[in-house]
Amino acid sequence: MTEFWLISAPGEKTCQQTWDKMMAATSRTNNLSNNNKFNIPDLKVGTLDVLVGLSDELAKLDTFVESVVKKVAQYMADVLEDSRDKVQENLLANGVDLVTYITRFQWDMAKYPIKQSLKNISEIISKQITQIDNDLKARASAYNNLKGNLQNLERKNAGSLMTRSLADIVKKEDFVLDSEYLVTMLVVVSKQGYGDWQKTYETLAEMVVPRSTKLLFEDNDNGLFSVTLFRKAVDDFKHKARENKFTVRDFYYNEEEMKADKEEMTRLSTDKKKQFGPLVRWLKVNFSEAFIAWIHIKALRVFVESVLRYGLPVNFQAMLLQPNKKNMKKLREVLYDLYKHLDSSAAIIDASMDIPGLNLSQQEYYPYVYYKIDCNLLDFKV
């Protein structure tokens, strides 16, 4: 993915001349950037006061909408889990990839009617994206709960014999059941301790049934042994086992409980599969909606800022530059030379420079209108 610079400069005799000049300076001879005209329709200007207020509101809205676009993209990556390489093909705007959408941008008259005031259009976008953000929180919370519960159950059925569930390891015939006097215990013994166990288990307490131990299961480090003893000896046996570094697992064979656990796991797994498809579809649709809204905000910001800077009647050319990565610094210099006459005070100031009394609100300032569009929406490489 890539970064774009959305800029505007006042129309010379015609806007085409502004375009031609910029093209000649940046791409015809020295390949500093790939450029496209950025089409902004004739929007309603309104009063200067409204434009000044709107300029600040749009800056905040831009940040908010960008954050929602990134959240939806990131959550898409989280939901796709093992298919993260498929994330990019699901992040489309109006059915096309993001670069194509931006470079061929056309204002959506149906969604954002230009007969409305600029303030109304920005409010339409704000409501729309707030709704997407709220829906995302609700859907993500429901899906994450489901996923978390399923992972907890899966974790119970994996890992060390010291902690994992034993339900899927043992069988009914491994236990003495329904006896008033006898009970079967399960003990975890390290592999190095097998010899000690066989020598000592019968003497760990009185009333251990001789030759009753059986190795039921092994993992890399330990074995799970069963042993049968009289119920009245259980506490004594546990105490002595602990002293000898054998771990007694508190497990009592209960078919109903084990069946319920299995059914719960099947139910959660089925629910997750059922929710997955509709959730991915929702994310695709709403990523597209949010991204489209975001680019419309960029268009609004360019329009408002261009009118505030270059005055009325409205006469400016919006241009989309895709900088050649190696030549970004050179491109900045060329644009500065081309437009420095527009604002003599605007030597290249970087937002990272701390100049007392000058609040750039984290936005670089240049003699031309400039906004960055960064399409690197994910915080990992796919």
Side-chain angles (χ1 to χ4, degrees):
M1 300 306 281
T2 190
E3 154 177 330
F4 291 91
W5 295 356
L6 181 54
I7 71 168
S8 86
E12 313 254 337
K13 284 185 183 142
T14 66
C15 286
Q16 185 60 36
Q17 277 181 301
T18 306
W19 169 255
D20 291 340
K21 254 190 175 175
M22 195 275 298
M23 284 296 283
T26 62
S27 66
R28 293 215 175 108
T29 52
N30 46 13
N31 190 26
L32 296 177
S33 58
N34 294 323
N35 307 328
N36 293 85
K37 283 184 179 175
F38 191 83
N39 296 311
I40 300 175
D42 294 328
L43 299 167
K44 280 189 164 182
V45 175
T47 66
L48 191 62
D49 280 359
V50 169
L51 287 183
V52 171
L54 200 56
S55 175
D56 289 342
E57 280 169 35
L58 286 171
K60 288 174 194 153
L61 189 55
D62 188 347
T63 305
F64 168 61
V65 177
E66 181 180 4
S67 76
V68 174
V69 169
K70 286 182 170 170
K71 264 194 263 182
V72 177
Q74 192 58 51
Y75 195 61
M76 172 89 79
D78 293 348
V79 169
L80 288 173
E81 293 175 29
D82 302 332
S83 317
R84 280 193 158 191
D85 52 332
K86 296 210 166 51
V87 176
Q88 224 65 68
E89 67 196 52
N90 283 300
L91 298 181
L92 303 174
N94 252 0
V96 297
D97 67 84
L98 307 185
V99 170
T100 304
Y101 177 78
I102 294 171
T103 51
R104 297 183 191 163
F105 175 76
Q106 292 295 325
W107 187 275
D108 189 326
M109 302 288 182
K111 272 197 191 105
Y112 312 116
I114 58 172
K115 287 185 178 148
Q116 299 258 15
S117 70
L118 296 174
K119 190 159 180 54
N120 280 3
I121 295 171
S122 77
E123 278 167 3
I124 291 169
I125 293 175
S126 178
K127 277 182 191 151
Q128 178 199 8
I129 302 305
T130 301
Q131 185 63 54
I132 290 175
D133 191 37
N134 291 338
D135 286 357
L136 176 65
K137 282 174 192 156
R139 284 166 188 269
S141 171
Y143 189 74
N144 290 350
N145 278 343
L146 190 58
K147 197 166 131 184
N149 290 340
L150 184 59
Q151 280 170 342
N152 286 341
L153 277 181
E154 284 168 348
R155 218 173 280 129
K156 268 189 191 171
N157 290 326
S160 156
L161 278 170
M162 296 287 192
T163 53
R164 64 165 292 170
S165 164
L166 304 176
D168 59 336
I169 291 174
V170 297
K171 301 184 189 71
K172 191 174 183 176
E173 53 268 28
D174 296 328
F175 294 82
V176 173
L177 298 170
D178 307 320
S179 163
E180 195 180 330
Y181 300 108
L182 294 173
V183 65
T184 301
M185 310 287 293
L186 298 180
V187 184
V188 179
V189 180
S190 72
K191 284 190 171 173
Q192 300 93 311
Y194 282 11
D196 288 346
W197 169 256
Q198 293 290 0
K199 275 188 225 149
T200 59
Y201 82 90
E202 291 178 4
T203 60
L204 290 176
E206 289 177 9
M207 300 178 148
V208 175
V209 176
R211 292 200 292 265
S212 66
T213 194
K214 253 191 346 197
L215 177 61
L216 305 180
F217 184 84
E218 287 184 299
D219 64 13
N220 292 337
D221 306 309
N222 302 299
L224 183 71
F225 286 85
S226 63
V227 60
T228 302
L229 56 150
F230 278 75
R231 287 182 185 275
K232 59 166 85 166
V234 166
D235 288 343
D236 200 22
F237 181 85
K238 280 184 180 176
H239 179 67
K240 284 282 176 17
R242 200 177 309 122
E243 281 180 3
N244 284 272
K245 299 197 167 54
F246 306 133
T247 306
V248 178
R249 291 289 308 267
D250 280 324
F251 180 88
Y252 297 95
Y253 190 87
N254 181 326
E255 228 159 358
E256 291 303 308
E257 260 178 43
M258 285 155 67
K259 192 176 162 206
D261 277 356
K262 261 192 186 135
E263 281 170 1
E264 174 69 355
M265 193 148 175
T266 308
R267 185 186 68 74
L268 289 171
S269 187
T270 308
D271 280 0
K272 187 183 168 200
K273 279 178 193 143
K274 263 192 208 156
Q275 285 192 25
F276 176 81
L279 181 59
V280 170
R281 278 194 295 281
W282 185 90
L283 289 165
K284 275 175 82 163
V285 167
N286 286 278
F287 173 81
S288 175
E289 292 292 308
F291 189 84
I292 289 166
W294 186 39
I295 303 306
H296 279 74
I297 286 174
K298 296 291 187 190
L300 284 176
R301 292 189 76 186
V302 169
F303 182 85
V304 169
E305 203 59 33
S306 299
V307 172
L308 287 173
R309 283 217 208 172
Y310 310 140
L312 293 168
V314 175
N315 180 27
F316 66 88
Q317 178 63 54
M319 300 166 276
L320 186 74
L321 284 61
Q322 190 175 344
N324 182 333
K325 212 168 188 177
K326 292 175 192 158
N327 297 329
M328 280 188 171
K329 194 162 182 281
K330 176 73 178 151
L331 178 59
R332 275 282 177 232
E333 288 163 5
V334 165
L335 290 174
Y336 178 67
D337 286 339
L338 195 57
Y339 299 122
K340 63 185 173 194
H341 64 280
L342 297 175
D343 184 349
S344 57
S345 65
I348 299 179
I349 298 171
D350 193 311
S352 60
M353 287 164 59
D354 187 18
I355 300 168
L358 180 62
N359 177 18
L360 293 168
S361 60
Q362 297 309 301
Q363 176 70 54
E364 301 97 325
Y365 184 79
Y366 300 99
Y368 46 90
V369 171
Y370 159 79
Y371 296 106
K372 184 166 88 165
I373 302 173
D374 188 354
C375 291
N376 297 303
L377 299 170
L378 298 167
D379 57 15
F380 66 88
K381 294 281 174 276
V382 282

